[in-house]
Amino acid sequence: MLAAREQAIIDAVNRLLADKGFDAMTVDEVAGAVGIAKASLYKHFPSKEDLAAAAMAHLMQAAQTMLDGVDTALPPLDKLRAVVEWTMRLKLSGHMPTLPSQNSTLRAALVAHKGYMDGLMDVSERLGAWIEAAQADASLNPALPPIAVLYTVFARACDTVLEFLKMSDGFDDDTIIALVMGTCFDGLRSR
Amino acid sequence: MLAAREQAIIDAVNRLLADKGFDAMTVDEVAGAVGIAKASLYKHFPSKEDLAAAAMAHLMQAAQTMLDGVDTALPPLDKLRAVVEWTMRLKLSGHMPTLPSQNSTLRAALVAHKGYMDGLMDVSERLGAWIEAAQADASLNPALPPIAVLYTVFARACDTVLEFLKMSDGFDDDTIIALVMGTCFDGLRSR
DNA sequence: GTCTATAGGAGGATAGAC
DNA sequence: GTCTATCCTCCTATAGAC
């Protein structure tokens, strides 16, 4: 009941963060989307930053669930492909919250949020293991530092190419996914 | 004299936009950085959005100058590499202004700014010609729609991987450039 | 064109009743 | 825990003197 309400709040924050970003999102809008008063919102979450942190923690949970669902029999490179595709579909469908990387009070709220940090660590470690496995079987370029690969995967969540291609009509979501998956794993050059 | 002052304003805006982004940048900060009163600023530029548009127009001019300087004897793919490298070095050095892509009043100011739009068109067309030439000689993957390649090049200006790698110490700028140039053109997979 | 001073409004957060 | 009403700070923009 209380959990259900808080989940509704987090869902609204997720949508608004994906739509307009943290700065443009107002607490009034969140309250309006949930259908409660702003003061009630502040009984559940003490600040706007905490709202965003809760949404990001929820995103990490979703990521963990997705990782759990990846077929363990797949070659490691294909596991990574599945993750990148999931990330991009989330973004294309308007469910990927975006945060400004420069805002320091926001970063403070994020690192203070145990659920978010634990989720992020877990996701990073599991992806890191797949990356190293993919480099060990030489399907992934072994010359790349694993951390650079990890960040490149994470960056698909912020990729402006997706929205640009979505606006320049003529591409449906599947085509966009195929294109950006191609440039991500195979690069721009001919093979 | 007036031009010099306006150039100083634009330089300050450029730095602040690169540092904190449009929303976090305040007009007071811009005035303070230039060393004039806020009201004086508004005699030169009628709104905060116009400040940003002027900065972006200046960026387009810089891009055009850079394109002029690219050796015409280079193969088209290497011309594109030079552009991507220039973009990333600008970002790493803190001179790449970043604008929120969702802000509608800001977009209106941008499309209303003739200098910016003309510069953007010119840059896009010249890059487009290089992209098609690189696909014609098969150095660039001919299966990719040129517009997708163009956006992928533009996106290097917003790439979060650069700042992430810069923060996770152990990489200097040249190493970061080499890594991201590699993933951009050659992809994550082994060749 | 520069300044000081201020209008005007948006938005995060809170008081206090129920 | 929900509401209404309000506080207060910050920020864009302008008025008006010099």
Side-chain angles (χ1 to χ4, degrees):
Chain A
M1 180 118 334
L2 177 137
R5 166 129 306 180
E6 300 204 337
Q7 190 53 51
I9 294 172
I10 290 175
D11 288 344
V13 172
N14 244 298
R15 259 195 317 279
L16 285 167
L17 284 180
D19 264 14
K20 346 180 38 170
F22 180 77
D23 291 309
M25 176 186 84
T26 71
V27 179
D28 293 84
E29 281 171 334
V30 177
V34 180
I36 61 177
K38 180 162 56 168
S40 306
L41 237 186
Y42 275 97
K43 300 284 182 182
H44 292 278
F45 299 92
S47 75
K48 184 184 178 183
E49 283 75 17
D50 286 286
L51 280 174
M56 293 305 288
H58 182 250
L59 174 66
M60 285 302 137
Q61 276 190 357
Q64 286 172 306
T65 303
M66 185 270 308
L67 291 183
D68 289 337
V70 173
D71 183 356
T72 54
L74 285 178
L77 183 70
D78 289 338
K79 291 179 183 168
L80 291 173
R81 294 188 108 104
V83 174
V84 171
E85 177 165 350
W86 176 80
T87 305
M88 295 197 300
R89 287 201 184 277
L90 209 61
K91 184 169 179 59
L92 278 176
S93 67
H95 292 87
M96 177 64 77
T98 311
L99 298 184
S101 52
Q102 314 99 329
N103 187 328
S104 60
T105 70
L106 184 53
R107 294 193 78 81
L110 284 174
V111 302
H113 194 297
K114 183 156 168 42
Y116 169 73
M117 288 303 288
D118 287 351
L120 178 61
M121 289 302 152
D122 181 51
V123 168
S124 299
E125 279 165 18
R126 288 157 79 175
L127 286 180
W130 291 350
I131 289 169
E132 287 177 16
Q135 290 185 315
D137 74 16
S139 56
L140 198 70
N141 182 355
L144 294 171
I147 187 77
V149 179
L150 181 66
Y151 288 161
T152 302
V153 169
F154 280 163
R156 283 330 96 204
C158 317
D159 200 337
T160 52
V161 173
L162 293 172
E163 30 188 316
F164 281 156
L165 286 176
K166 187 144 186 151
M167 284 191 296
S168 76
D169 278 297
F171 299 105
D172 60 17
D173 283 7
D174 288 337
T175 306
I176 295 175
I177 296 282
L179 280 173
V180 183
M181 289 280 286
T183 59
C184 179
F185 285 95
D186 295 330
L188 293 172
R189 279 179 54 209
S190 295
R191 291 249 167 195
Chain B
M1 186 118 327
L2 177 138
R5 166 131 305 179
E6 300 204 335
Q7 189 54 53
I9 295 172
I10 289 174
D11 287 344
V13 172
N14 244 296
R15 260 194 316 279
L16 286 166
L17 284 181
D19 264 13
K20 347 179 41 170
F22 181 78
D23 291 308
M25 175 187 84
T26 71
V27 179
D28 293 83
E29 281 172 333
V30 178
V34 180
I36 62 177
K38 180 164 54 170
S40 306
L41 237 185
Y42 276 97
K43 299 285 183 182
H44 293 278
F45 299 92
S47 74
K48 184 184 178 182
E49 283 75 18
D50 286 286
L51 281 173
M56 294 305 287
H58 181 250
L59 174 65
M60 285 302 138
Q61 276 190 356
Q64 286 172 307
T65 302
M66 185 271 307
L67 291 183
D68 289 337
V70 173
D71 184 356
T72 53
L74 284 177
L77 183 69
D78 289 337
K79 293 179 182 169
L80 291 173
R81 294 187 108 104
V83 174
V84 171
E85 177 165 352
W86 176 81
T87 304
M88 294 197 300
R89 287 202 184 276
L90 209 61
K91 184 167 179 60
L92 278 176
S93 68
H95 293 86
M96 177 65 77
T98 312
L99 298 184
S101 53
Q102 314 98 330
N103 186 329
S104 60
T105 72
L106 185 53
R107 294 193 77 81
L110 284 175
V111 302
H113 193 298
K114 182 157 168 42
Y116 169 73
M117 288 304 286
D118 287 351
L120 178 61
M121 289 301 153
D122 181 50
V123 169
S124 299
E125 279 166 17
R126 288 158 78 176
L127 287 180
W130 290 352
I131 288 168
E132 287 177 15
Q135 290 184 314
D137 74 16
S139 56
L140 198 71
N141 183 356
L144 294 171
I147 187 77
V149 179
L150 181 66
Y151 289 162
T152 302
V153 169
F154 280 164
R156 282 332 95 204
C158 317
D159 199 337
T160 54
V161 173
L162 294 173
E163 29 189 318
F164 281 156
L165 285 176
K166 188 147 186 147
M167 285 190 297
S168 77
D169 278 296
F171 300 104
D172 59 16
D173 283 7
D174 288 337
T175 306
I176 295 174
I177 296 282
L179 280 172
V180 182
M181 289 279 287
T183 58
C184 181
F185 285 95
D186 294 329
L188 293 173
R189 278 178 53 209
S190 295
R191 288 247 168 198

